[in-house]
Amino acid sequence: MTGLFDLPIKNNIIADKAVISKASKARSPVVSIKGTKNLAQKIATMKDNIEKYLGDKRNLYLCITDEAQLISYIDDCIANNIVAIDTETTGLDPLSCDIVGFSLFTPGNKACYIPINHKSYITGLITDHQLSVKIVREQLQRLIDNNVKTVWFNAKFDVRVLKNTVGVIFIPYFDTYIASRLLNENEPVGDRGLKALHKKYVLGGEQDAFSYGELFEDIQFDLVPIDTGYLYAARDAQITYEFYEFQLPYLTIGTEECIEQELEGVSNVFWNIEMPIVNAVADMEDLGVKFDFTVQQQLSERYHILQNDAEHKFYSILNDYTDNEYSISSPQQLVKLFYDELKLLKPQVDRFTGKVKRPVDEETLSAIDHPLAIAILEYRGYAKLISTYIDKMAECARRDGRVHGEFNQLGTDTGRFSSSNPNLQNIPSKNAEIRTMFTASDGYIMLSSDYSAQEPRLTACMSGDERMIYEYNNGIDPYVSIASIAYDVPYDECKEFHADGTVNKEGKKRRKAAKKVMLGITYGAGIATVAEGLGVPEEKAKEINKRVFDAYTRLLPFKEESENMAYTKGYVTTFWGRKRRLPDFSLPMYEFYYSKTNEPVSQEVASKYIKMINHCSGYKKPVFQKINLDGVYVIDNTKKISQAERQCVNSRIQGSAADQTKIAMRLIVNNKRLNELGFRLLLQVHDELIGECPEESVEECSRLFSDCMVEAAKDLPIKTVCDVEAMRSWSM
């Protein structure tokens, strides 16, 4: 049987899901009479736009409003064993938005749209000729029961929407968004939407003559009439599938595309690391973490008092230095105080731009040991804790008494997670009481496990440094060894504790400095940074750096090999095969072009200009201006190159750490016994995973939790340690 709106249109692209979602954040209200006229005008304009751009293309899509037709379409999906799915919603929050409808596409069929909750823009009531949630649930469940492969773009969002609104739980087969991030993590942020990527890679850059806003006048999608809205929605599933067809060969080991582009490792990361944890991330976001409002209120009251005390202290001290009034919360007034009146700070000149700066930030004020600066930093510290964490988290907690943060499993270009709304990875660990606002659910105990020295261990493994590997495998602390080398004192004098268990203050200080040396190696820090971390002159830092590289003989070659990989291949790789593309590393330091024609200058002329630049130390703008007088403009790539150079080793180590933690997540959520015991993940904080389990299962869950973390590192030639801490609240 044919659906009510069997009005197909040509294969055209209208808008990105993100755009339509932004236009539909609020739930649909019943439209008031006062606003009806304006909305009616928008609807009329929308229909005119659809007719203008799409009116001659009406034979490509289906709108299914009949149960029998949906059953038939699902039958075809089952027969093909693959289907692309996309949802349309009233907002961006899968926990609070309504589903408006969804689209399907399976090869050999027209893409279709199934409306569920469209409303009249006049009355605000659900319109006729739509399928019920019950029917939709039954038919989508058939896809799940028959293990049909499902293809998505940003699967986590759609999976959560369908779970929370329809009651079906999909396990995605292929996420084209995740694939796109692995195949080109350097894609510009504004071009990472489905429509933009499809245009670029499938259509070869063909551009639409319109935007979603032009077509739909920013009308909330559930108010868009079905006979118009389905034309936009149905195509999403089709282009998702087309994008999947384009990407699949590149992520299939053994294909010509995969071999030529050297993507075997990336394929491993996609299929065995990223895709298996999509549902785990979705579940963490849906579950959230319990929030203790009583603890929050106590902290809020106490820290507001501390902030007020710090403010009063500032004004009390201020009276000892000046009769003028200055506000502690006004950076402009503090600039006048410290630079103009008290002259405690001197203006800074940027060595690259020549601009004069007069900062009063934390780093600048920390450099002067002055009571006013100390009081300001204390005040700002309390203010940040209050606004960013204590009071902010109370606003983020929902009616269910839990904080549901977002976890983007490809939030950084190195593969690490990021978190937002709120950022649960940024809750301070040094101030442990802030974390006590987050607690275990009733009847549960929180379990936390992190990797001991994860990145240094991976540095040892990837560099193949035999001494460092030996030390980790035999209980020797490489940080203490580095400190012993750096300070030229015995190993035991660099430990944090004496043999009798008492704190070794000097040893603790040395070991902490040694960690900065190792981080300097890992993150490509220069000698100046190492010198600052050790608290020694740069010449001494060079000597220490050399001693460390002489002792750990593979570290410097590993750095050089990583840089050579970036230069010759354009990318570096993690232990498990993830790529981090660094095209800037092979850029020329300077490029010269004639201003009138944009043509590059000859090699001879370029050499002359490079010689001029190299003879200039420090501020180079005057030299560039002199070159400009010849009718030539200069592109200075030195900062880009330096940044890429710093990323060569860091991307390999940080990306490997991300891979390892994600493998641990996969093992944890797939552990049958952990699931039987009721263990569930709550948070991911880089090298740390936090979950909770029923109180009676703590001992067994702790053991299994640790086993999974250790198993994730089984391919490494190094001993891995993962202790599990049980607690009532985070950090306690």
Side-chain angles (χ1 to χ4, degrees):
M1 184 180 295
T2 303
L4 179 65
F5 298 109
D6 188 4
L7 304 173
I9 96 176
K10 181 168 137 190
N11 200 9
N12 211 330
I13 303 169
I14 299 177
D16 193 334
K17 178 194 299 182
V19 178
I20 189 169
S21 296
K22 288 177 183 176
S24 52
K25 285 185 179 180
R27 286 177 177 262
S28 299
V30 173
V31 182
S32 65
I33 295 176
K34 182 178 180 180
T36 300
K37 182 178 180 181
N38 183 46
L39 185 57
Q41 290 174 338
K42 287 186 175 182
I43 296 290
T45 302
M46 175 198 68
K47 289 185 175 181
D48 288 343
N49 286 333
I50 291 292
E51 185 62 32
K52 176 181 178 182
Y53 293 111
L54 308 171
D56 61 338
K57 305 160 183 172
R58 294 188 170 275
N59 197 32
L60 290 175
Y61 306 123
L62 302 173
C63 183
I64 295 179
T65 61
D66 177 87
E67 181 180 3
Q69 190 181 16
L70 179 58
I71 291 172
S72 176
Y73 201 97
I74 296 294
D75 287 342
D76 289 341
C77 296
I78 294 171
N80 287 335
N81 194 36
I82 194 163
V83 60
I85 306 177
D86 184 77
T87 64
E88 303 302 333
T89 67
T90 58
L92 291 169
D93 179 10
L95 285 175
S96 63
C97 70
D98 289 325
I99 187 169
V100 180
F102 65 97
S103 54
L104 303 173
F105 176 78
T106 192
N109 292 58
K110 295 177 180 179
C112 68
Y113 176 66
I114 298 91
I116 302 174
N117 282 313
H118 284 261
K119 300 175 182 178
S120 166
Y121 66 88
I122 298 175
T123 66
L125 301 176
I126 299 293
T127 57
D128 295 332
H129 306 299
Q130 301 189 74
L131 290 177
S132 68
V133 169
K134 178 178 180 296
I135 291 172
V136 166
R137 182 187 305 117
E138 291 172 351
Q139 295 309 310
L140 290 180
Q141 188 62 45
R142 290 178 60 210
L143 296 175
I144 297 169
D145 293 343
N146 284 276
N147 297 314
V148 174
K149 296 176 181 177
T150 53
V151 178
W152 318 71
F153 182 86
N154 190 17
K156 183 185 68 173
F157 176 84
D158 296 302
V159 165
R160 292 182 66 201
V161 167
L162 289 169
K163 173 186 173 184
N164 294 318
T165 61
V166 179
V168 291
I169 301 175
F170 282 95
I171 298 176
Y173 166 69
F174 196 103
D175 187 332
T176 55
Y177 173 74
I178 290 176
S180 70
R181 292 285 284 136
L182 291 178
L183 291 170
N184 183 10
E185 74 281 358
N186 293 325
E187 203 78 63
V189 175
D191 295 337
R192 292 178 184 174
L194 173 60
K195 301 297 192 299
L197 291 168
H198 182 265
K199 288 176 189 176
K200 180 176 181 179
Y201 293 105
V202 180
L203 300 183
E206 177 185 324
Q207 297 294 313
D208 290 327
F210 50 84
S211 67
Y212 174 81
E214 290 173 324
L215 284 175
F216 290 90
E217 292 268 316
D218 296 326
I219 301 166
Q220 191 165 286
F221 197 73
D222 58 347
L223 297 179
V224 173
I226 297 171
D227 61 346
T228 301
Y230 92 97
L231 299 176
Y232 157 78
R235 178 161 170 73
D236 268 358
Q238 180 176 329
I239 66 173
T240 297
Y241 189 85
E242 290 173 355
F243 195 28
Y244 153 75
E245 285 189 305
F246 169 81
Q247 293 174 322
L248 183 61
Y250 294 96
L251 293 170
T252 302
I253 292 177
T255 63
E256 182 180 338
E257 293 89 341
C258 189
I259 294 170
E260 285 185 355
Q261 297 298 321
E262 300 177 318
L263 291 168
E264 292 89 344
V266 176
S267 175
N268 173 61
V269 172
F270 177 77
W271 293 108
N272 298 317
I273 298 178
E274 296 293 354
M275 286 308 303
I277 66 168
V278 171
N279 286 82
V281 181
D283 289 344
M284 283 198 311
E285 293 185 357
D286 278 340
L287 176 61
V289 58
K290 186 180 178 184
F291 189 78
D292 193 323
F293 288 94
T294 301
V295 171
Q296 183 275 332
Q297 187 60 36
Q298 293 169 348
L299 290 174
S300 180
E301 291 173 0
R302 186 156 71 83
Y303 275 85
H304 273 99
I305 291 172
L306 290 171
Q307 182 187 14
N308 289 335
D309 289 346
E311 184 176 6
H312 292 319
K313 185 192 298 183
F314 168 79
Y315 289 117
S316 175
I317 298 172
L318 185 66
N319 292 331
D320 296 335
Y321 291 92
T322 179
D323 294 328
N324 295 322
E325 294 184 359
Y326 294 95
S327 171
I328 192 173
S329 58
S330 170
Q332 293 84 0
Q333 292 185 28
L334 294 180
V335 166
K336 293 179 180 178
L337 172 64
F338 283 101
Y339 286 90
D340 298 333
E341 182 168 352
L342 301 182
K343 301 188 185 305
L344 292 169
L345 294 171
K346 294 182 179 180
Q348 303 172 12
V349 179
D350 190 293
R351 60 190 293 260
F352 294 105
T353 65
K355 292 182 179 179
V356 177
K357 301 184 296 183
R358 304 206 299 174
V360 286
D361 57 6
E362 180 179 353
E363 183 180 356
T364 304
L365 293 181
S366 296
I368 58 172
D369 185 16
H370 192 276
L372 283 173
I374 294 171
I376 292 168
L377 293 174
E378 185 180 357
Y379 170 84
R380 287 179 178 175
Y382 293 136
K384 181 178 180 179
L385 288 174
I386 292 168
S387 62
T388 307
Y389 306 112
I390 300 174
D391 289 353
K392 177 68 174 179
M393 290 302 154
E395 298 171 3
C396 293
R398 304 200 184 207
R399 292 181 181 178
D400 62 359
R402 307 180 75 87
V403 174
H404 298 264
E406 294 179 22
F407 291 93
N408 182 353
Q409 68 186 79
L410 288 168
T412 71
D413 293 338
T414 60
R416 292 178 78 179
F417 271 89
S418 67
S419 177
S420 58
N421 300 320
N423 184 353
L424 292 173
Q425 293 184 328
N426 199 35
I427 309 300
S429 58
K430 292 181 180 179
N431 188 329
E433 63 182 349
I434 301 298
R435 291 189 169 191
T436 62
M437 295 187 297
F438 301 92
T439 68
S441 302
D442 295 341
Y444 283 73
I445 294 291
M446 269 186 166
L447 299 178
S448 170
S449 182
D450 64 356
Y451 286 107
S452 175
Q454 185 185 32
E455 292 190 2
R457 287 175 191 269
L458 284 163
T459 301
C461 294
M462 295 196 70
S463 67
D465 190 273
E466 293 182 0
R467 173 173 176 167
M468 192 174 288
I469 291 172
Y470 174 84
E471 288 177 343
Y472 274 124
N473 285 337
N474 289 275
I476 301 170
D477 187 340
Y479 286 144
V480 176
S481 291
I482 291 173
S484 175
I485 294 167
Y487 292 97
D488 197 20
V489 296
Y491 178 89
D492 287 345
E493 292 183 23
C494 297
K495 290 182 177 179
E496 292 186 288
F497 299 95
H498 294 296
D500 61 3
T502 58
V503 175
N504 178 4
K505 290 184 179 180
E506 197 61 32
K508 189 173 184 178
K509 180 180 177 182
R510 289 168 180 158
R511 185 181 183 277
K512 184 177 180 180
K515 288 181 73 172
K516 292 184 178 180
V517 173
M518 174 58 78
L519 290 174
I521 294 169
T522 304
Y523 288 87
I527 290 296
T529 304
V530 174
E532 183 181 351
L534 291 171
V536 299
E538 287 192 23
E539 283 302 315
K540 182 67 175 177
K542 288 180 183 178
E543 178 187 333
I544 291 170
N545 221 39
K546 183 180 184 304
R547 290 210 298 260
V548 171
F549 280 128
D550 286 344
Y552 297 94
T553 57
R554 280 293 304 157
L555 293 184
L556 187 56
F558 174 60
K559 179 177 182 291
E560 293 169 347
E561 288 161 10
S562 298
E563 291 174 357
N564 185 59
M565 181 188 291
Y567 185 79
T568 58
K569 292 179 174 291
Y571 63 83
V572 293
T573 57
T574 67
F575 185 87
W576 282 274
R578 185 188 302 272
K579 280 187 177 183
R580 175 69 180 102
R581 297 157 183 87
L582 299 169
D584 288 347
F585 193 74
S586 56
L587 287 172
M589 293 182 69
Y590 304 99
E591 297 177 71
F592 307 92
Y593 297 88
Y594 290 109
S595 302
K596 290 185 177 180
T597 64
N598 284 330
E599 292 292 323
V601 304
S602 67
Q603 185 60 49
E604 182 181 354
V605 173
S607 298
K608 180 186 74 172
Y609 289 144
I610 290 172
K611 188 177 293 186
M612 289 171 57
I613 294 170
N614 289 339
H615 274 98
C616 173
S617 60
Y619 185 47
K620 293 182 169 57
K621 190 173 180 179
V623 181
F624 294 162
Q625 291 174 336
K626 187 175 181 180
I627 295 172
N628 293 159
L629 294 175
D630 293 342
V632 174
Y633 67 89
V634 186
I635 297 178
D636 182 355
N637 293 318
T638 53
K639 287 186 178 180
K640 288 184 178 181
I641 296 169
S642 296
Q643 174 68 8
E645 182 179 357
R646 289 191 295 271
Q647 291 176 328
C648 288
V649 172
N650 175 45
S651 293
R652 303 189 74 184
I653 303 304
Q654 192 178 97
S656 296
D659 293 344
Q660 183 180 348
T661 304
K662 289 176 178 181
I663 292 170
M665 291 179 68
R666 183 197 73 200
L667 294 170
I668 289 165
V669 297
N670 289 330
N671 187 285
K672 182 180 178 182
R673 183 57 180 159
L674 273 177
N675 288 324
E676 290 173 350
L677 293 170
F679 178 86
R680 50 199 196 182
L681 281 175
L682 298 174
L683 302 166
Q684 193 277 355
V685 187
H686 305 313
D687 64 349
E688 180 184 15
L689 292 174
I690 301 102
E692 64 180 12
C693 70
E695 294 183 18
E696 63 272 15
S697 305
V698 169
E699 186 175 341
E700 187 175 359
C701 282
S702 296
R703 178 177 57 80
L704 293 170
F705 188 11
S706 177
D707 288 347
C708 289
M709 296 282 284
V710 172
E711 186 183 349
K714 68 179 181 179
D715 294 330
L716 301 176
I718 202 165
K719 184 179 179 181
T720 300
V721 179
C722 288
D723 295 325
V724 175
E725 181 182 1
M727 49 202 175
R728 292 284 177 183
S729 65
W730 194 3
S731 287
M732 282 193 70

